[in-house]
Amino acid sequence: MNVNHVELETVCGITSKLPENLMEEFAFAGKSNVGKSSLINSLMNRKSFARTSSQPGKTQTINFYRINNVLYFVDLPGYGYAKVSKEMKAKWGMMIERYLKKSKQLKLIFLLVDIRHEPSVNDKDMYQWIVHHGFEPVVIATKLDKINRSQRDKQIKLIRQGLQASAQTRIIPFSAQTKDGRDEIWSCIMEKMVKEEPVSEEIGAEEASDQVTE
């Protein structure tokens, strides 16, 4: 997809009211340091647009990025950072759960895990939590460039088994360095948009084609 317009439209803290967006939302979840900002920047074709923090675990907001005026990327707070207090972790958990329950436009959740390692307890809990709320997440195995090509299938199998994910769960290996997996992730987004909500007649077929298709 050609991304021509990106805007950080809404930043929600723990006590903020969630926006009532009219366009589809695609959320990104993952533990701290898994490469979430790098992935979002890659999908937006920007070098450093997505918000990052100088210290892992410091991001305490849900960030809504408006993409091409047709959809939103929703960056959820990173989880699993050991130096964050239990009280803060609980507040983040409630904030994420509130979003999962109340968003009317959330179409798909991408769960990021590090391809180099077996999923952590937090990764497993997040996967089950997402499924419990009625979503089938697409798992993105980040940092693909950090392993040898020969290890790829083995690590994907390890992730699937560790998450206890079904055979239907899509796992996409991704590298922010080489952009491997980027087009496949965008395909997931576009397939969901077409499936869930046909293009509005008000937009017009020609304009929608310019905005939505690759």
Side-chain angles (χ1 to χ4, degrees):
M1 180 177 186
N2 294 322
V3 178
N4 301 314
H5 175 80
V6 175
E7 176 185 354
L8 176 57
E9 185 173 278
T10 309
V11 177
C12 290
I14 291 171
T15 60
S16 301
K17 181 181 178 181
L18 292 169
E20 296 182 2
N21 294 323
L22 300 179
M23 297 181 297
E24 288 94 339
E25 298 171 358
F26 296 83
F28 298 82
K31 64 183 180 182
S32 301
N33 281 341
V34 76
K36 190 150 49 68
S37 295
S38 296
L39 168 65
I40 294 173
N41 281 323
S42 177
L43 292 174
M44 295 191 301
N45 199 26
R46 302 295 191 275
K47 289 185 177 180
S48 56
F49 195 93
R51 283 185 148 195
T52 59
S53 176
S54 59
Q55 288 183 284
K58 290 295 183 180
T59 302
Q60 303 179 20
T61 57
I62 299 177
N63 301 324
F64 292 79
Y65 297 94
R66 188 182 183 110
I67 310 297
N68 280 5
N69 295 316
V70 294
L71 60 92
Y72 288 96
F73 285 169
V74 183
D75 186 4
L76 301 175
Y79 56 80
Y81 188 56
K83 293 184 180 180
V84 175
S85 68
K86 290 183 178 179
E87 180 182 1
M88 181 58 69
K89 288 179 182 178
K91 288 181 178 179
W92 288 357
M94 288 187 289
M95 180 165 57
I96 295 172
E97 185 171 23
R98 179 165 60 101
Y99 169 70
L100 295 182
K101 285 183 175 180
K102 293 191 175 182
S103 173
K104 297 178 181 179
Q105 296 296 336
L106 178 58
K107 301 302 179 185
L108 185 62
I109 303 173
F110 293 102
L111 175 62
L112 281 64
V113 299
D114 191 325
I115 197 170
R116 299 173 296 178
H117 310 297
E118 181 180 357
S120 67
V121 172
N122 286 313
D123 291 329
K124 297 173 184 178
D125 288 345
M126 179 57 76
Y127 178 84
Q128 296 300 328
W129 197 22
I130 293 170
V131 172
H132 174 74
H133 283 86
F135 295 92
E136 179 60 44
V138 171
V139 178
I140 300 178
T142 63
K143 307 189 180 183
L144 176 62
D145 54 286
K146 303 294 185 182
I147 65 171
N148 295 326
R149 185 175 294 272
S150 61
Q151 297 176 289
R152 175 172 169 157
D153 291 344
K154 176 184 176 182
Q155 293 305 114
I156 291 175
K157 182 178 180 181
L158 184 68
I159 290 170
R160 189 179 300 279
Q161 291 176 339
L163 295 176
Q164 296 183 336
S166 68
Q168 288 72 40
T169 297
R170 200 166 182 174
I171 300 178
I172 302 175
F174 171 78
S175 167
Q177 297 297 320
T178 66
K179 311 305 180 187
D180 283 357
R182 181 181 182 276
D183 289 346
E184 190 174 351
I185 296 167
W186 264 118
S187 292
C188 289
I189 294 171
M190 304 314 299
E191 289 168 8
K192 199 70 175 177
M193 289 184 71
V194 171
K195 179 180 178 181
E196 295 291 333
E197 186 170 335
V199 175
S200 171
E201 293 180 1
E202 295 180 1
I203 296 177
E206 183 176 351
E207 180 181 352
S209 178
D210 289 341
Q211 290 181 319
V212 177
T213 59
E214 294 185 0

